[in-house]
Amino acid sequence: MKHSSLISVFFLIFFLSGCASTIPAIYLQSADIEMDLHRPAYGISDMSISRDGSLLLAGDIGPVSPMRKQSYDAPGSGNIRLWDLVRGNLVRSITIRDIQILYTVALSPDGRYALAGGQPTGGKSGLTMWDLTTGEQVWRFPELRGDVFSASFSRDGRRVLATTVSVVFVFDFETGRTIARFDTGYRQSLFSSGALPYVTAQFSPDGKYVLSGGHDAVLHLWEAEGSAAVRSFTGHKRGIGGGISGISISPDGKHALTCAICDSSARLWDLQSGKEIQNFSGLSVALLGAWGTAMSPDGKYGFVIALPLGIWDLASGKQVTPLQLQSDRNAFIPMAKPGSAVYNPNGKTVLMTANDAAVRIFDSATGREIAMLVAFDDGEWIVITSEGYYNASEKGAQYLTANLGQKEYSVESFYDVFYRPDIVRAALEGEDTRGLVTITMNDAVKNPPPTVDFTQSFSESTREKLKICYQVRSAGGGIGEVRLFHNGKLIQSDGYYREMAGSAAGKRQELAMGSKGIYEDMRSVSVMQKSVGSPASAKAKGEVFSDCREVEPVFGENEISIAAFNSNNTVQSYMKTMKFVSRVQPADPHLYILSIGLDRYKDSRVNLKYAVKDARDFEEKLRAQAASVYKPQNIHFVLVTDAEATKANFTRKIDELAGIIKPRDSFVMFAAGHGVLLQNQYYLLTHDYDGAITDAAVISSNEIVETSKRIKSLGQLLIFDTCHAGGVDSIVSGLYDARMSVLARKMGLHIYASASDKQSAMDGYKGNGLFTYTLLEGLNNNREADRNKDGTVTVVGLGEYSKKKTALISKEVGHSQTPLIINFGKDSPIYRLP
């Protein structure tokens, strides 16, 4: 066997030694619960982050089997995976078929290209470059015929750096030609040298120098374009395990933080003088020393993958932030080559790999573990926070199970609580999301949701009304609220609404936004008192609950879905759906418009100028344009303004409409006036508002959802041109979530909120409120609102147009206002262009 083959075989054995055993369970720290993988996932070999911190490139060594399954003990094709660290999702996966063991990856500064290096097959190049936009290979580097152990881009993206067992190469990015090569002098036999053939290198920030290190434990500084050695740095020790395993250079190019496998230390160097500044000794990873470094964007702190795991103050040499990795539950032994560690360029988070096929993200200020990224061998993925909230691909959450005693619960079964891409996104941005957490995965597992099923089924029907019967069984957590949906629309629940997080009882919350001083006509209100009742609770149902509900099917395909909560109403069950076809011939659809406008309140200090005009103008314009879709005699409208717009009158109007509107009809509700956000609950003020928030003076988002439920229409549009209108999303999203939007192919529930839950709506732009002004523009035979370019303006198209125009105009006049547009299910036409 040739000498190079001996090196490869020895290194391969060492490299895969952590992979030939099963992956330990993933531990969610804040939830204090272990989770098993039930699908082969990927051991991470290297990572690279984009300059703006929005993208992470991870390289893996191929699938590693899950706990208690057959272990993976042979090399294969590796993969590079591009993660979006803003949205918290996997963007692209590329299989690197000609490299049987992937050692290193690098992401270009602009995030478009990726380097993948490792042990090639058939004597091919050990380094390839890929276009991440197309997923295609750009080129190989033919000079690199052996293993490539590390690779990187220069900061300006014009140079590529790669290392082999003994040579460091610098290539031109545009042409691939070799600019420089540095011979490290490694010529000894692997067994006589007693070191692993691993060489790593980094560009200096200005791209003028290269710092390399490897098996001989000596650092070498080179001129990047001259191949000349500038100086060497000695201090690390060499041993049977190897030499330099990690190099990081400070952003100003003055210092380098390095670590070595065998001497269990990390060291800080002055690159100008070659002197050692700090020695962080006594580090260990089991018996294998230190395995990787990263420096903070300001150059003040260093992260070393070693025990004790944490962030070090480079000036004092003291650890300032221990990272809270559960080493007693997850034995801290790297799975692949020397471990990967990167700082997010924003400085808020630090990322690393351990031994459980996950990229872990930590808060760099507190050391708290924030989230993990896991990719599976079939392309599925999950991003999960330490509390258990997650974003995932279609099947990603099915591949993780939470363990309690002898029972296992799929994460998918807790979808309706823990599928929270918004919390994942906030966590990845470095925000403290603990205030958003109402329940952890551990809490959910201890009080699991019930199971649900239908007690009868049929494939088609000719009846105008059908009785749907179902049964709910406790799984150990009792039975709480039960919800029934028709084509995605909530048609039954027993009155429970999850209590919104807010201030302590009795504490007054001021909502004065100072808007009179900022812009005289902004809609705002100061909440002076609080007297709002608590949400109703679901009735006790025992261990088994059965019931029936009468449903009016629509012509064609129908879907009836059922879900139920545990007795605490904290965790919702997996949703069960029954499909059937109705043969009842449909009548012509009707359109019902309820338009509410309020300029005058009992508390005259909050009176407005344009809300009544907004309601009247919108109703008239919609009624005229809708005649191109509905028969004129089938368009009905109710206009309620000022003194008529009381809570009691609103309730009466809804009662009347609920008795008339059929599932095939459409319903539009428009409300212009004052809206407030109190304890994260949205309230629309009625005419009776006299300065105090009381039940008789407001319509809550709970009651708005109840209105939608009582109105049988499967096509509804709710429009709120008020302050804080986006707050309605807090309660609506709990009833119509991402899963429901998939199921609701035959139903459309759409909400336009003129401003987010933290914004004021502008009352006064060319004779209307700003948001209403853009709605009227969109309704005025406007081809810009025709999103499908088919001559029809739809609900979704009008919403998109109004959101874009409102944000644009508000920016021009110096007022921040971005509408919230929520679309669940089917789009529908509003009017046809002439």
Side-chain angles (χ1 to χ4, degrees):
M1 182 179 289
K2 295 183 179 180
H3 172 69
S4 61
S5 297
L6 283 172
I7 291 175
S8 296
V9 169
F10 187 92
F11 190 74
L12 174 60
I13 293 171
F14 174 80
F15 184 80
L16 291 175
S17 62
C19 305
S21 59
T22 54
I23 299 176
I26 286 177
Y27 178 69
L28 297 186
Q29 183 182 11
S30 297
D32 190 26
I33 196 166
E34 286 188 350
M35 312 196 81
D36 278 348
L37 298 173
H38 282 261
R39 179 83 191 190
Y42 291 88
I44 311 300
S45 58
D46 197 17
M47 295 185 298
S48 178
I49 198 166
S50 62
R51 185 180 296 178
D52 63 1
S54 65
L55 298 171
L56 178 75
L57 183 71
D60 62 63
I61 57 173
V64 183
S65 292
M67 195 72 166
R68 292 189 289 275
K69 306 292 182 181
Q70 181 180 358
S71 61
Y72 177 90
D73 55 7
S77 299
N79 300 274
I80 54 175
R81 303 184 187 279
L82 187 66
W83 295 89
D84 186 325
L85 293 181
V86 177
R87 293 178 174 84
N89 64 280
L90 184 64
V91 177
R92 180 180 288 276
S93 296
I94 300 173
T95 299
I96 313 299
R97 300 191 183 282
D98 293 332
I99 296 180
Q100 59 181 340
I101 306 176
L102 191 62
Y103 299 151
T104 183
V105 297
L107 185 62
S108 64
D110 61 5
R112 181 174 178 180
Y113 297 98
L115 296 172
Q119 185 185 87
T121 59
K124 297 180 180 179
S125 172
L127 183 67
T128 57
M129 184 182 295
W130 300 79
D131 187 321
L132 294 172
T133 303
T134 64
E136 300 295 325
Q137 181 178 305
V138 178
W139 61 55
R140 291 181 177 273
F141 296 82
E143 229 178 308
L144 301 173
R145 287 293 178 184
D147 295 0
V148 171
F149 297 106
S150 73
S152 59
F153 287 92
S154 61
R155 185 172 177 80
D156 61 9
R158 297 171 57 190
R159 302 287 186 264
V160 171
L161 182 65
T163 65
T164 65
V165 69
S166 60
V167 181
V168 179
F169 291 86
V170 178
F171 299 98
D172 182 87
F173 169 77
E174 294 292 341
T175 64
R177 71 179 180 86
T178 302
I179 295 175
R181 54 179 292 163
F182 319 121
D183 194 327
T184 63
Y186 181 72
R187 294 291 183 273
Q188 291 177 293
S189 163
L190 172 65
F191 300 103
S192 63
S193 69
L196 291 174
Y198 177 73
V199 179
T200 184
Q202 290 290 327
F203 278 112
S204 63
D206 60 10
K208 294 181 180 180
Y209 301 96
V210 170
L211 184 64
S212 70
H215 38 75
D216 59 0
V218 178
L219 290 163
H220 302 280
L221 188 67
W222 314 83
E223 290 181 354
E225 296 192 10
S227 299
V230 178
R231 64 179 57 87
S232 297
F233 307 75
T234 58
H236 282 298
K237 297 178 182 179
R238 183 178 66 177
I240 187 64
I244 306 296
S245 56
I247 295 176
S248 298
I249 301 177
S250 62
D252 61 9
K254 295 181 179 180
H255 302 102
L257 179 64
T258 64
C259 65
I261 297 172
C262 290
D263 65 2
S264 297
S265 74
R267 300 170 191 249
L268 184 67
W269 307 86
D270 184 308
L271 293 181
Q272 183 65 33
S273 65
K275 292 182 179 179
E276 181 182 304
I277 302 173
Q278 292 285 0
N279 184 343
F280 309 89
S281 59
L283 306 178
S284 68
V285 179
L287 302 176
L288 298 175
W291 281 81
T293 64
M295 291 183 76
S296 62
D298 59 9
K300 295 181 180 180
Y301 303 99
F303 173 49
V304 183
I305 301 184
L307 296 178
L309 189 67
I311 295 172
W312 302 76
D313 184 291
L314 298 180
S316 67
K318 297 180 179 179
Q319 189 180 94
V320 291
T321 309
L323 296 191
Q324 300 169 17
L325 181 71
Q326 293 290 33
S327 56
D328 58 327
R329 296 176 185 258
N330 286 342
F332 188 73
I333 301 174
M335 290 182 58
K337 69 162 205 172
S340 299
V342 293
Y343 253 98
N344 191 307
N346 64 18
K348 293 181 179 180
T349 58
V350 63
L351 297 84
M352 63 163 286
T353 57
N355 64 332
D356 53 8
V359 175
R360 295 172 174 269
I361 305 176
F362 295 87
D363 185 306
S364 60
T366 66
R368 185 174 64 89
E369 189 174 320
I370 294 173
M372 287 179 282
L373 320 176
V374 181
F376 299 97
D377 69 337
D378 60 351
E380 302 289 338
W381 55 270
I382 187 169
V383 180
I384 188 166
T385 72
S386 60
E387 298 86 8
Y389 295 93
Y390 69 91
N391 188 18
S393 57
E394 182 180 356
K395 297 180 181 178
Q398 297 176 15
Y399 299 160
L400 277 183
T401 56
N403 307 320
L404 183 65
Q406 299 299 313
K407 291 186 177 181
E408 292 185 344
Y409 299 91
S410 169
V411 172
E412 172 74 7
S413 65
F414 303 112
Y415 177 101
D416 294 279
V417 175
F418 291 100
Y419 179 70
R420 290 295 301 273
D422 58 325
I423 291 181
V424 170
R425 181 167 182 165
L428 294 179
E429 289 177 349
E431 296 181 20
D432 188 347
T433 60
R434 284 173 289 185
L436 302 176
V437 173
T438 58
I439 185 174
T440 70
M441 189 66 71
N442 197 332
D443 300 327
V445 169
K446 290 179 180 178
N447 296 280
T451 60
V452 296
D453 206 352
F454 294 98
T455 56
Q456 94 278 41
S457 62
F458 38 84
S459 59
E460 64 178 32
S461 173
T462 57
R463 297 180 181 178
E464 293 187 358
K465 294 185 179 181
L466 289 174
K467 182 178 286 187
I468 304 296
C469 297
Y470 53 87
Q471 188 175 81
V472 184
R473 288 184 174 272
S474 171
I479 302 173
E481 181 191 359
V482 179
R483 293 175 178 171
L484 198 66
F485 297 84
H486 180 197
N487 282 5
K489 177 188 177 295
L490 181 68
I491 59 174
Q492 177 177 305
S493 65
D494 40 356
Y496 180 86
Y497 295 98
R498 276 175 271 185
E499 194 162 358
M500 313 303 291
S503 57
K507 182 178 179 181
R508 191 178 73 180
Q509 179 174 342
E510 299 291 344
L511 287 183
M513 310 304 289
S515 55
K516 290 281 185 180
I518 301 172
Y519 196 96
E520 187 173 354
D521 290 324
M522 282 186 196
R523 290 172 182 167
S524 65
V525 64
S526 174
V527 176
M528 301 176 186
Q529 300 178 35
K530 171 183 173 291
S531 176
V532 181
S534 300
S537 297
K539 297 178 181 179
K541 299 182 177 67
E543 293 298 300
V544 180
F545 174 74
S546 299
D547 201 3
C548 297
R549 166 75 186 225
E550 194 172 69
V551 173
E552 295 182 37
V554 294
F555 178 75
E557 187 176 282
N558 289 256
E559 290 180 341
I560 306 296
S561 303
I562 184 173
F565 281 83
N566 59 8
S567 60
N568 295 330
N569 290 295
T570 54
V571 186
Q572 183 175 318
S573 70
Y574 195 89
M575 192 170 291
K576 185 81 172 182
T577 299
M578 175 178 66
K579 299 180 181 180
F580 66 91
V581 174
S582 172
R583 302 300 182 187
V584 177
Q585 290 298 319
D588 290 334
H590 290 238
L591 170 64
Y592 293 86
I593 305 169
L594 173 60
S595 194
I596 305 168
L598 275 154
D599 284 338
R600 300 289 178 263
Y601 297 85
K602 287 185 177 179
D603 183 352
S604 61
R605 293 174 299 173
V606 299
N607 285 348
L608 297 169
K609 297 180 180 179
Y610 300 104
V612 170
K613 185 175 185 297
D614 286 348
R616 183 176 289 112
D617 289 352
F618 176 83
E619 173 265 313
E620 290 178 353
K621 192 67 174 179
L622 177 61
R623 182 156 44 98
Q625 294 292 68
S628 61
V629 175
Y630 300 88
K631 293 180 178 180
Q633 65 269 27
N634 288 351
I635 300 175
H636 316 275
F637 69 96
V638 178
L639 179 65
V640 181
T641 61
D642 287 342
E644 295 179 348
T646 63
K647 175 75 169 286
N649 200 29
F650 171 81
T651 303
R652 282 194 296 271
K653 296 297 183 184
I654 293 301
D655 287 342
E656 293 172 6
L657 292 171
I660 300 171
I661 298 177
K662 302 296 182 183
R664 62 181 176 272
D665 298 330
S666 296
F667 173 64
V668 177
M669 185 177 82
F670 176 92
H674 277 306
V676 298
L677 195 67
L678 179 62
Q679 294 185 314
N680 291 337
Q681 174 90 265
Y682 170 74
Y683 296 91
L684 176 66
L685 301 190
T686 69
H687 173 73
D688 293 324
Y689 174 73
D690 59 2
I693 295 291
T694 63
D695 186 62
V698 298
I699 300 169
S700 71
S701 50
N702 283 345
E703 292 167 315
I704 292 167
V705 170
E706 186 68 20
T707 294
S708 173
K709 184 175 68 176
R710 293 183 59 211
I711 300 293
K712 295 177 183 178
S713 166
L714 297 183
Q716 299 185 19
L717 171 60
L718 311 180
I719 304 174
F720 304 95
D721 190 358
T722 75
C723 285
H724 316 293
V728 74
D729 184 43
S730 299
I731 189 70
V732 172
S733 292
L735 298 175
Y736 298 94
D737 62 9
R739 171 181 291 162
M740 186 50 58
S741 69
V742 175
L743 290 174
R745 290 189 297 271
K746 300 299 181 184
M747 181 265 179
L749 172 66
H750 305 269
I751 298 173
Y752 297 171
S754 64
S756 76
D757 59 2
K758 295 180 177 65
Q759 292 178 324
S760 297
M762 183 172 158
D763 181 36
Y765 184 82
K766 298 187 177 180
N768 288 103
L770 174 58
F771 184 60
T772 300
Y773 171 82
T774 63
L775 285 173
L776 294 173
E777 267 199 334
L779 288 169
N780 192 29
N781 294 329
N782 194 321
R783 296 192 179 276
E784 288 185 54
D786 179 8
R787 70 189 300 265
N788 300 316
K789 306 304 177 187
D790 59 359
T792 302
V793 174
T794 66
V795 173
V796 175
L798 179 62
E800 290 179 354
Y801 171 83
S802 299
K803 177 179 180 178
K804 178 180 177 181
K805 293 293 289 187
T806 300
L808 180 64
I809 296 173
S810 67
K811 184 177 181 180
E812 292 175 350
V813 300
H815 166 66
S816 179
Q817 181 177 339
T818 303
L820 177 70
I821 307 298
I822 309 168
N823 299 301
F824 292 101
K826 184 181 177 183
D827 195 5
S828 58
I830 293 181
Y831 72 94
R832 293 190 176 90
L833 293 163

